[in-house]
């Protein structure tokens, strides 16, 4: 079996959205959108990985694949819930109304979307041929939903009832979240919806959960940042009020980006073993990674992040399991110098993940293998232009909002991804990279690596 540490990566070929994230019978199960035939998007399956600690992941094969008319051209994104000892997966099935003669794995012009469910007694075995049930057929009434672009059901239980929120669009003009309700998790009734310009022109991957008794809405609106460079669709979150009796949702204030690197998309949350709200999301990669002895692969997940809210601001913090992974070998400035290394240009073992902690001063720059991080006019900025390659149409420089003089950084680096946590998760900048070097230049306070660098 293929195994990953820290970041779940495509086991060859292509992955995108995390799906069905759940802690079940002592293991974390993370499913993901998967095209098993090439490192490009195609007919969606659900790949499946498991972990006991959110750090060491083992890919265990394909969980869902097309078998029914309604999902004949893809098992799109969805969620998981435990009920009566079983894992119930909910997902969007896609059926192409016209087949592309040149490539059957991409939509020619038009498709239908329906919502399906499938159950498992152990979280591993799913009967794709006899166990799938259509719980919400293709929507015919445009006032309720779009027959084509209604997808990514998130299901949760509150009291005696089950709730489902699905992303959609209204006439391709404004995004909307659609709410359904059920007494048994199988028979669903439409209740309400909210259309809002903060959902872009279409909403994907909605998520709803409580923090300290208050609701948070999370989702991925499409076409909200045409001027941002690269991607037009981004992951956002904001405080909200939700009334379960009527499924009425009201949003508070403007949204905040979940990650200011703007490579992150389609986040999904779950409660961990300790009851913390934890998020994992897809890191979009514009080209496949090709390494000798490995299948080309495209797509990976960010580090697990604890979601917390203070004064209406939503924080994404380093998960304690990540802290534990790095805690055994912390190299301080004194130990680095005892290795007779130049503290201003420290060599790090190639391909080993490592952690750098520093509090910058205005105007200071940290160079991590060609990836630059600096404080400028009260913003934290990053520049990946030297470690990204000649890829047109993608932003090279990222920035936080103002941080008001606080420049504390906790940085996690590995060959294809750098994640910069600013001020204990007040903001995060995560950037996909290619060809990262194995050195650090600049002032450093602490470094944690997987093995000795002396």
């Amino acid at each position: 079996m293929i195994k990953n540490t820290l970041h779940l990566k495509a086991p060859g070929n292509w992955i995108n959205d995390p799906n069905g994230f759940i802690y079940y019978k002592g293991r974390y199960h993370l499913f993901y959108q998967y095209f098993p035939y090439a490192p490009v998007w195609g007919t969606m399956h659900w790949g499946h990985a498991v972990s006991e600690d959110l750090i060491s992941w083992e890919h265990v094969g394909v969980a869902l694949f097309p078998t029914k008319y309604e999902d004949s051209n893809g098992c799109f994104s969805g969620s998981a819930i435990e009920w009566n000892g079983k894992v119930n997966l909910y997902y969007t099935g896609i059926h192409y109304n016209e087949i592309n003669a040149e490539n059957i794995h991409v939509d020619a012009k038009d498709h239908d979307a329906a919502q399906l469910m499938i159950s498992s007694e152990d979280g591993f075995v799913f009967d794709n041929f006899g166990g799938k049930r259509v719980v919400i057929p293709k929507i015919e009434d445009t006032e309720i939903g779009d027959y084509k672009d209604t997808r990514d059901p998130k299901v949760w239980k509150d009291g005696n009832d089950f709730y489902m929120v699905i992303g959609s669009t209204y006439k391709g003009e404004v995004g909307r979240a659609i709410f359904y309700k059920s007494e048994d998790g199988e028979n669903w009734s439409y209740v309400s919806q909210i259309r809002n310009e903060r959902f872009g022109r279409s909403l994907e991957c909605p998520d709803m959960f409580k923090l300290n008794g208050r609701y948070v809405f999370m989702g991925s609106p499409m076409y909200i940042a045409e001027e941002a460079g690269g991607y037009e669709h981004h992951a956002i979150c904001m405080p909200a009020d939700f009334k379960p009796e009527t499924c009425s949702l009201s949003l508070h204030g403007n949204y905040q980006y979940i990650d200011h690197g703007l490579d992150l998309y389609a986040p999904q949350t779950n409660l961990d073993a300790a009851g913390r709200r934890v998020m994992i999301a897809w890191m979009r990669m514009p080209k496949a990674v090709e390494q000798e002895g490995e299948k080309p692969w495209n797509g990976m997940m960010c580090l697990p992040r604890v979601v917390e809210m203070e004064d209406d601001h939503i924080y994404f913090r380093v998960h304690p399991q990540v802290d534990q992974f790095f805690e055994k070998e912390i190299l301080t400035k004194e130990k680095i110098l005892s290795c007779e290394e130049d503290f201003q240009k420290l060599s790090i073992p190639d391909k080993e993940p490592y952690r750098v902690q520093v509090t910058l001063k205005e105007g200071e720059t940290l160079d991590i293998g060609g990836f630059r991080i600096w404080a400028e006019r009260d913003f934290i900025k990053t520049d990946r232009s030297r470690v990204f390659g000649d890829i047109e149409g993608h932003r090279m420089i990222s920035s936080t909002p103002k941080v008001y003089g606080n420049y504390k950084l906790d940085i996690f680096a590995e060959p294809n991804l750098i994640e910069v946590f600013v001020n204990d998760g007040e903001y995060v900048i995560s950037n996909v990279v290619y060809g990262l070097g194995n050195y650090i230049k600049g002032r450093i306070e602490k470094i944690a690596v997987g093995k000795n660098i002396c």
Side-chain angles (χ1 to χ4, degrees):
M1 293 290 181
I2 297 174
K3 297 182 178 181
N4 297 144
T5 300
L6 286 180
H7 298 97
L8 186 75
K9 302 176 183 177
N13 300 312
W14 170 276
I15 69 172
N16 54 286
D17 305 2
N19 298 152
F21 186 25
I22 189 171
Y23 183 70
Y24 175 70
K25 293 184 177 180
R27 290 189 179 97
Y28 296 96
H29 294 255
L30 185 64
F31 304 86
Y32 49 85
Q33 292 285 278
Y34 181 43
F35 185 57
Y37 309 123
V40 296
W41 190 92
T43 301
M44 286 293 102
H45 299 47
W46 276 33
H48 186 191
V50 295
S51 174
E52 294 183 356
D53 59 6
L54 292 170
I55 299 299
S56 300
W57 292 95
E58 181 179 354
H59 294 268
V60 292
V62 173
L64 302 185
F65 53 87
T67 54
K68 291 179 71 69
Y69 175 88
E70 289 84 0
D71 72 3
S72 56
N73 298 106
C75 302
F76 276 27
S77 292
S79 58
I81 189 172
E82 181 181 356
W83 180 240
N84 290 334
K86 299 179 181 180
V87 170
N88 293 331
L89 302 184
Y90 297 85
Y91 69 98
T92 300
I94 296 296
H95 172 80
Y96 292 165
N97 294 318
E98 182 178 339
I99 299 298
N100 187 323
E102 299 301 319
N103 183 353
I104 64 170
H105 294 292
V106 297
D107 198 351
K109 289 183 179 180
D110 192 27
H111 64 258
D112 295 335
Q115 315 309 315
L116 291 81
M117 72 171 293
I118 186 171
S119 300
S120 171
E121 298 280 353
D122 62 1
F124 288 91
V125 178
F126 296 89
D127 181 3
N128 280 270
F129 292 99
K132 295 176 179 177
R133 301 184 292 286
V134 176
V135 293
I136 300 177
K138 178 182 76 169
I139 297 173
E140 303 284 357
D141 186 345
T142 58
E143 293 302 309
I144 292 178
D146 188 89
Y147 78 95
K148 175 182 178 182
D149 292 320
T150 298
R151 54 182 172 269
D152 312 334
K154 176 63 186 283
V155 174
W156 72 97
K157 193 170 188 291
D158 188 349
N160 295 322
D161 294 316
F162 295 85
Y163 297 84
M164 178 189 294
V165 58
I166 318 174
S168 188
T169 181
Y170 183 68
K171 299 183 178 180
E173 297 172 355
V174 62
R176 56 178 161 177
I178 305 173
F179 291 94
Y180 283 77
K181 197 171 182 178
S182 171
E183 293 181 354
D184 58 9
E186 296 187 27
N187 298 287
W188 294 87
S189 299
Y190 167 78
V191 182
S192 67
Q193 65 182 264
I194 175 175
R195 305 170 191 169
N196 195 286
E197 62 182 10
R198 284 167 283 189
F199 294 161
R201 300 209 300 263
S202 188
L203 177 66
E204 296 188 306
C205 303
D207 197 352
M208 294 268 297
F209 51 87
K210 282 184 179 180
L211 292 176
N212 302 323
R214 294 191 59 197
Y215 277 94
V216 170
F217 182 88
M218 183 179 289
S220 297
M222 304 180 73
Y223 307 103
I224 62 168
E226 288 89 341
E227 77 286 352
Y231 303 109
E232 297 178 298
H233 321 318
H234 296 287
I236 65 165
C237 58
M238 68 195 86
D241 286 327
F242 180 71
K243 295 181 179 179
E245 307 81 24
T246 57
C247 288
S248 60
L249 176 71
S250 57
L251 307 173
H252 288 195
N254 199 5
Y255 60 76
Q256 65 180 77
Y257 286 126
I258 290 174
D259 191 293
H260 289 269
L262 301 182
D263 287 344
L264 182 148
Y265 197 69
Q268 188 165 110
T269 71
N270 169 42
L271 293 178
D272 69 5
R276 291 174 290 246
R277 178 63 56 174
V278 58
M279 183 208 78
I280 290 182
W282 169 42
M283 300 305 304
R284 297 177 283 194
M285 306 181 75
K287 68 175 183 178
V289 176
E290 298 186 12
Q291 297 171 321
E292 187 175 350
E294 295 183 4
K295 288 183 179 179
W297 61 274
N298 194 322
M300 61 191 300
M301 303 300 174
C302 70
L303 286 174
R305 304 175 184 182
V306 176
V307 188
E308 297 178 343
M309 183 162 58
E310 298 177 10
D311 299 326
D312 283 353
H313 183 82
I314 300 164
Y315 288 73
F316 296 91
R317 292 183 160 129
V318 177
H319 194 279
Q321 291 292 142
V322 177
D323 279 325
Q324 185 176 336
F325 177 80
F326 285 102
E327 73 178 1
K328 290 184 179 180
E329 296 191 20
I330 298 290
L331 301 187
T332 62
K333 178 176 180 178
E334 289 71 25
K335 187 171 181 181
I336 292 166
L337 291 175
S338 72
C339 298
E340 297 183 354
E341 291 278 2
D342 178 0
F343 186 56
Q344 297 301 313
K345 188 174 182 180
L346 175 69
S347 181
I348 299 296
D350 190 30
K351 297 184 180 180
E352 290 290 330
Y354 56 92
R355 178 182 195 174
V356 177
Q357 293 176 315
V358 64
T359 301
L360 291 181
K361 297 178 181 178
E362 179 74 24
E364 283 189 325
T365 298
L366 183 65
D367 187 327
I368 299 182
F371 182 89
R372 296 175 60 247
I373 309 166
W374 72 98
E376 177 186 332
R377 296 181 181 179
D378 219 13
F379 300 90
I380 298 297
K381 296 189 175 184
T382 66
D383 181 357
R384 62 176 170 185
S385 57
R386 289 185 289 170
V387 288
F388 195 65
D390 186 18
I391 305 173
E392 295 183 0
H394 288 269
R395 67 160 54 218
M396 296 296 109
I397 295 176
S398 301
S399 176
T400 65
K402 278 197 170 188
V403 291
Y404 300 100
N406 298 314
Y407 307 147
K408 180 182 177 183
L409 308 182
D410 198 356
I411 305 158
F412 297 84
E414 65 115 282
N416 292 105
L417 180 62
I418 293 186
E419 293 164 279
V420 182
F421 291 77
V422 180
N423 298 333
D424 296 317
E426 180 182 12
Y427 303 109
V428 187
I429 296 177
S430 300
N431 290 130
V432 168
V433 295
Y434 298 91
L436 191 71
N438 64 333
Y439 63 85
I440 299 176
K441 291 189 290 186
R443 188 171 62 83
I444 306 163
E445 292 168 4
K446 291 183 179 180
I447 301 178
V449 294
K451 61 184 179 181
N452 271 321
I453 61 174
C454 295

